[in-house]
Amino acid sequence: MALVAAAVAATVGELAALGVRRLGRKHEILATLAQRGRRPLAGLLGTLAAISSLQIYTSAAAWRQPTLTVLGLVAVAFGAGLAIVAANVVQDVLLLRYRVDVADNRRQRQRRTQVSLVKRLVVALIVVVAVAAMLLTIPGARGMGASVLASAGLLSVVAGLAAQTSLANVFAGLQIAFTDAVRVDDVVVVEDEWGNIEDITLTYVVVRLWDQRRLILPSTYFTTTPFANWTRNSADIIGAVELQLDWTVPVEELRSRAERFVRAHELFNGQTFSVAVTETSERAVTVRVLVSADSGGRLFDLRCAVREELVAFLQREHPGALPKVRFASPPAADQAADQTTDQTADRATGAARIPAQGHRTFSDRS
């Protein structure tokens, strides 16, 4: 009877999931929940039906209570699995509402970060509650609770010291999620590395660097260490291209060439453009070109394109404007004075060598 009841209940669960799946064609959350929760629901209903059948159709026996205890643990596990599936489905549906493939996705990225962290927290709570319910279901585990409570003071101190860093990361992760300091897909500069925020968990943050490496940092890093967030208020960003050129560079012609190229480029968002001489030295002048783009990656490519175009333009049209080092010859009067000094030094050197030459002659005669 228990097996028959479990089979019938599991079949009812399958049919219910199939019906919800068909009725939920217009509601994506119902269809997804029915598809993913079909097996946990069937297992939960079948286990509950088996427990009810054993309680009704069996009498007291040595095997009865252990069997009911094991089935109770299985029911709790299926229930926890169904709750986790529901949390994942809700997360997926909410993430679909906040799409990041739009021009200004700052608010969407903030919501996605918060939804992901809340889902992880809910899953952790479900697991903790399920484990607690399993322990309460086992008769022997109830006695362990009294001893744990008796030593709660010592255990709390030890656990607090041992989990101090972990708890700090957990609270830092929650702070990151709800203070909007950093979001998923933000462009940041951390540890002298440039990249995008790929994932934010309760304990660590994954940064996808520009060369596809992953930099994993604890959550407390973003609450205790200064870092650059290029997309904090908006996705568009301004970058600079600096060139060290000779003093003979035609600035106006260079400005016109750069403006024509930048405004015609597909990566330029039309917000910011300027060309200015920002610094001079005894050997070169510094020309800075400011451009803007919709994201950090597009800005990097635009800066590279501008740099290549201006270098090619100068090499082709104005090679004399490329950086060079000059050497100046001394005046004629200084050259004459130097020659006189050299001749005087040569005479003194020759006079000093005469005794040595006489000594060599005397040695040869002897």
Side-chain angles (χ1 to χ4, degrees):
M1 292 298 298
L3 292 176
V4 171
V8 172
T11 303
V12 171
E14 293 281 352
L15 294 177
L18 181 60
V20 173
R21 185 177 179 181
R22 290 186 176 181
L23 293 176
R25 291 179 178 178
K26 297 182 179 180
H27 299 82
E28 189 173 2
I29 184 172
L30 294 178
T32 307
L33 181 60
Q35 180 180 1
R36 295 186 181 181
R38 177 174 56 88
R39 292 181 179 179
L41 178 61
L44 178 61
L45 293 179
T47 306
L48 293 177
I51 293 174
S52 301
S53 299
L54 290 177
Q55 290 177 347
I56 295 174
Y57 296 106
T58 59
S59 58
W63 58 269
R64 188 173 185 270
Q65 187 58 39
T67 303
L68 293 175
T69 301
V70 172
L71 291 177
L73 296 176
V74 174
V76 172
F78 277 121
L82 185 61
I84 292 175
V85 168
N88 289 326
V89 170
V90 172
Q91 178 199 17
D92 294 341
V93 173
L94 292 177
L95 292 181
L96 289 176
R97 295 181 56 185
Y98 303 111
R99 304 180 64 88
V100 296
D101 53 350
V102 294
D104 189 6
N105 56 6
R106 183 176 65 88
R107 184 61 58 185
Q108 288 82 353
R109 289 186 286 111
Q110 177 187 3
R111 294 290 183 262
R112 290 174 70 93
T113 302
Q114 294 175 352
V115 168
S116 299
L117 287 177
V118 170
K119 191 271 295 186
R120 289 189 175 94
L121 184 60
V122 169
V123 170
L125 291 176
I126 291 173
V127 172
V128 171
V129 171
V131 172
M134 289 181 178
L135 292 177
L136 292 176
T137 304
I138 302 173
R142 297 174 184 174
M144 296 175 57
S147 60
V148 171
L149 292 176
S151 57
L154 179 60
L155 289 178
S156 62
V157 174
V158 174
L161 294 176
Q164 182 178 3
T165 304
S166 300
L167 291 177
N169 285 321
V170 171
F171 287 114
L174 295 176
Q175 181 180 350
I176 290 173
F178 292 99
T179 58
D180 200 22
V182 63
R183 301 169 295 268
V184 175
D185 205 35
D186 267 351
V187 180
V188 296
V189 179
V190 292
E191 299 293 325
D192 296 330
E193 296 282 358
W194 175 87
N196 295 77
I197 300 295
E198 185 177 53
D199 191 15
I200 300 177
T201 68
L202 288 176
T203 56
Y204 62 90
V205 178
V206 180
V207 181
R208 184 181 68 253
L209 303 181
W210 63 274
D211 54 359
Q212 299 303 317
R213 292 179 296 152
R214 267 58 175 181
L215 183 63
I216 300 177
L217 300 170
S219 299
T220 53
Y221 178 90
F222 293 90
T223 58
T224 59
T225 305
F227 64 95
N229 190 341
W230 289 3
T231 55
R232 174 65 174 80
N233 296 323
S234 61
D236 57 326
I237 189 171
I238 300 174
V241 176
E242 291 190 347
L243 300 175
Q244 300 287 333
L245 303 175
D246 190 71
W247 279 77
T248 60
V249 58
V251 178
E252 291 297 331
E253 187 174 352
L254 183 66
R255 180 181 290 109
S256 301
R257 180 70 178 187
E259 185 173 4
R260 288 197 305 269
F261 177 79
V262 171
R263 296 195 181 279
H265 203 281
E266 59 181 2
L267 298 179
F268 181 60
N269 62 0
Q271 297 296 326
T272 303
F273 171 79
S274 68
V275 177
V277 178
T278 59
E279 189 178 354
T280 59
S281 64
E282 67 277 5
R283 293 185 178 181
V285 296
T286 302
V287 179
R288 185 184 68 182
V289 182
L290 289 181
V291 293
S292 61
D294 292 331
S295 64
R298 295 170 66 89
L299 177 66
F300 180 80
D301 295 337
L302 178 60
R303 291 170 59 197
C304 293
V306 172
R307 191 178 293 109
E308 293 174 1
E309 174 65 21
L310 295 182
V311 169
F313 167 72
L314 293 174
Q315 289 176 345
R316 183 176 60 254
E317 303 292 340
H318 300 280
L322 298 176
K324 60 177 65 70
V325 179
R326 294 181 175 87
F327 295 94
S329 300
D334 294 342
Q335 290 181 356
D338 293 340
Q339 292 178 358
T340 303
T341 303
D342 294 340
Q343 292 175 0
T344 304
D346 291 340
R347 293 193 188 99
T349 304
R353 292 177 179 175
I354 291 175
Q357 293 176 357
H359 178 70
R360 286 199 298 270
T361 303
F362 175 76
S363 300
D364 293 337
R365 291 177 180 176
S366 61

